Amino acid sequence: MPLVVQKYGGTSVADPDRIRRVARRVARTRRARNDVIVVVSAMGSSTDDLISLAHEVSSDPPAREMDMLLTAGERISMALLAMALHSEGVPALSLTGSQAGILTDASHGEAKITEIRGTRVREGLEKGNVVIVAGFQGVDPTSKDVTTLGRGGSDATAVALASAHGADVCEIYTDVMGVYTADPRVVPEARRLETVSFDEMLELAAGGAGVLMARSVEVGRRFNVPIHVRSSFVEDEGTWVKESTMEEAIIRGVAHDTSEAKATIWGVPDRPGVAAALFETLAGARINIDMIVQNVGQDGSTDISFTVPQSQARAARRAAAPLVKELGARDLAVDTDIAKVSLVGAGMKSSPGVAARVFRALADASINIEMISTSPIRISCVVRRGSVDGAVRALHAEFDPPVITEEVGANG
Ligand code: ADP
Ligand code: ASP
Ligand code: MG
């Protein structure tokens, strides 16, 4: 029997009505003679609510206890969905990440999946159940503690389960009709993409297109699991994320991210080993660095800026401060009022002038660029937080990313 993995995000299971609706959809898939593994997120904004609750009782909640708390969110929705399926006459079994054999490393709050032991899920399916797995969580086999995979982690659970169990497709059901050329909340005229390659989707997701967690796309790419992003509210075509198509659009879309902060160290000595010492220190504190810019040295000193997740800004400052002193640098400043806008498209690598058009479009919208970084298929700029929506609209209007309606393949 074909095996389908379906993941339903927080909005899709936000209240009892929506859970019953999801149950009906799962039941239809099951009755169409598929084995079904369902991954669920916590209901609505309950993960955010749990995080706020934690900060009401502690200014610095221990990471282990935070994971104990947050895993409860997905546990509620998995059990409720199992009950709703029983009411539909469909046998269902809910499992925590740990029960589903999802083993991770020990990094609480951002654990990576290291192995999936499939026995329990397989037995559940063999007995005729729909198996429901709590998203976003696993267990560290050494400490036996539960872990969480990072925000949006249910996507990673779903794609990893699809890969481990050899599913034909991983369906991600969410509150939009697929992957768009920009966040439809910011650009109402953004268009749905029919297909997008793993590489492009990875850049879009890493650039802040939260419709998929970047790590889930990485897993999909590594194990070649096609990901089908669809609306849980309307029947539609959705977007296929899969191996690159033969057609390469110059531009696929625009992504933006308001979750980062910029740190700048002014007046660092301009000599070998300084950048190494700084970024070794930050790596030792497990800080995730995104963009890095170092200016040309002048009079023996230079400035280094880098971006980090806002949630790690305090930790980055704490880690870097002693080194800043030791190096005799002038100052360390952290700016949280920034945002990043990225233009993504596999065709830009062979199409000159894209960067110039990006900078011109932002200039014409009177938007100042503070940092720039590129990959062969992406150009990202850091701008003031207040101008990011304008930046996204300006780039979307400039490039008007085309929707690819047909692959140029054997017939074309
Ligand atoms: P879920 O709870 O289902 O996981 P998310 O909120 O994580 O849903 O992701 C869906 C949201 O992603 C959409 O509501 C949309 O605002 C946002 N988004 C950002 N960029 C894009 C994009 N390029 N295409 C579609 N949605 C996007
Ligand atoms: N509930 C978690 C979050 O809000 C995981 C997820 O929804 O994917 O980040
Ligand atoms: Mg999500």
Side-chain angles (χ1 to χ4, degrees):
M1 218 187 284
L3 171 66
V4 176
V5 173
Q6 298 188 330
K7 176 255 170 179
Y8 292 90
T11 347
S12 311
V13 292
D15 57 42
D17 268 352
R18 289 185 183 178
I19 291 177
R20 280 197 296 270
R21 191 147 140 185
V22 166
R24 288 197 291 274
R25 186 158 203 152
V26 172
R28 269 207 311 280
T29 313
R30 177 76 189 118
R31 290 190 184 113
R33 303 194 57 75
N34 294 291
D35 275 333
V36 190
I37 300 175
V38 181
V39 174
V40 280
S41 289
M43 293 170 72
S45 60
S46 60
T47 305
D48 291 327
D49 300 343
L50 291 171
I51 292 171
S52 307
L53 208 51
H55 287 285
E56 279 181 43
V57 296
S58 162
S59 59
D60 189 18
R64 176 190 182 276
E65 302 310 328
M66 201 67 185
D67 279 356
M68 289 298 273
L69 179 69
L70 296 189
T71 48
E74 270 67 13
R75 205 167 163 144
I76 292 172
S77 34
M78 75 178 195
L80 291 175
L81 180 59
M83 294 172 193
L85 275 163
H86 280 279
S87 298
E88 287 289 321
V90 176
L93 169 77
S94 70
L95 298 173
T96 64
S98 166
Q99 289 173 321
I102 299 176
L103 308 188
T104 72
D105 63 18
S107 348
H108 286 291
E110 49 173 12
K112 305 261 181 322
I113 299 175
T114 51
E115 191 186 333
I116 293 188
R117 296 198 180 141
T119 327
R120 192 99 193 254
V121 170
R122 234 176 352 255
E123 283 172 3
L125 293 172
E126 277 161 13
K127 287 185 183 142
N129 292 293
V130 167
V131 175
I132 304 165
V133 179
F136 166 66
Q137 55 178 268
V139 63
D140 166 18
T142 312
S143 66
K144 310 267 193 302
D145 281 332
V146 295
T147 52
T148 62
L149 308 180
R151 298 308 305 267
S154 301
D155 296 335
T157 304
V159 181
L161 278 172
S163 158
H165 290 278
D168 299 276
V169 58
C170 181
E171 297 179 335
I172 303 283
Y173 287 94
T174 184
D175 57 3
V176 281
M177 296 210 288
V179 179
Y180 282 65
T181 49
D183 187 340
R185 287 176 212 275
V186 176
V187 183
E189 59 275 22
R191 287 175 286 170
R192 181 178 57 83
L193 297 165
E194 290 197 357
T195 65
V196 56
S197 70
F198 286 122
D199 287 345
E200 289 170 317
M201 192 61 231
L202 198 52
E203 294 279 19
L204 286 170
V211 60
L212 281 177
M213 187 206 209
R215 274 165 48 204
S216 72
V217 185
E218 250 164 34
V219 176
R221 177 170 69 172
R222 190 162 340 126
F223 300 103
N224 200 14
V225 180
I227 302 173
H228 194 186
V229 181
R230 310 179 68 179
S231 162
S232 62
F233 301 103
V234 278
E235 297 280 343
D236 66 320
E237 298 297 311
T239 299
W240 282 93
V241 186
K242 53 182 193 177
E243 290 270 273
S244 42
T245 54
M246 293 189 61
E247 172 105 32
E248 278 195 343
I250 296 176
I251 301 306
R252 195 67 74 179
V254 183
H256 71 286
D257 186 353
T258 53
S259 71
E260 293 192 350
K262 178 176 79 167
T264 304
I265 304 178
W266 305 96
V268 193
D270 190 15
R271 58 177 154 76
V274 168
L278 172 63
F279 291 103
E280 278 163 8
T281 303
L282 293 166
R286 307 189 59 83
I287 309 285
N288 291 315
I289 310 289
D290 180 15
M291 286 187 183
I292 300 174
V293 169
Q294 177 177 326
N295 283 339
V296 179
Q298 219 179 7
D299 306 325
S301 79
T302 183
D303 310 324
I304 300 182
S305 292
F306 52 92
T307 60
V308 294
Q310 262 171 41
S311 56
Q312 296 188 330
R314 263 165 73 192
R317 182 193 276 280
R318 228 180 292 138
L323 189 73
V324 167
K325 220 174 184 174
E326 196 179 300
L327 293 171
R330 208 164 60 243
D331 196 12
L332 163 67
V334 176
D335 181 352
T336 52
D337 197 31
I338 60 139
K340 181 175 71 173
V341 58
S342 304
L343 187 75
V344 173
M348 71 167 72
K349 57 178 179 272
S350 53
S351 178
V354 174
R357 282 174 66 193
V358 168
F359 305 148
R360 172 54 57 201
L362 294 178
D364 288 348
S366 304
I367 292 167
N368 189 42
I369 301 168
E370 302 184 19
M371 290 170 96
I372 299 167
S373 85
T374 62
S375 86
I377 65 167
R378 172 187 51 79
I379 298 170
S380 300
C381 299
V382 167
V383 298
R384 282 293 95 197
R385 169 79 71 96
S387 42
V388 70
D389 287 2
V392 173
R393 289 190 204 110
L395 294 186
H396 196 272
E398 168 65 22
F399 290 93
D400 189 31
V403 174
I404 302 305
T405 50
E406 208 177 357
E407 287 174 36
V408 178
N411 312 324

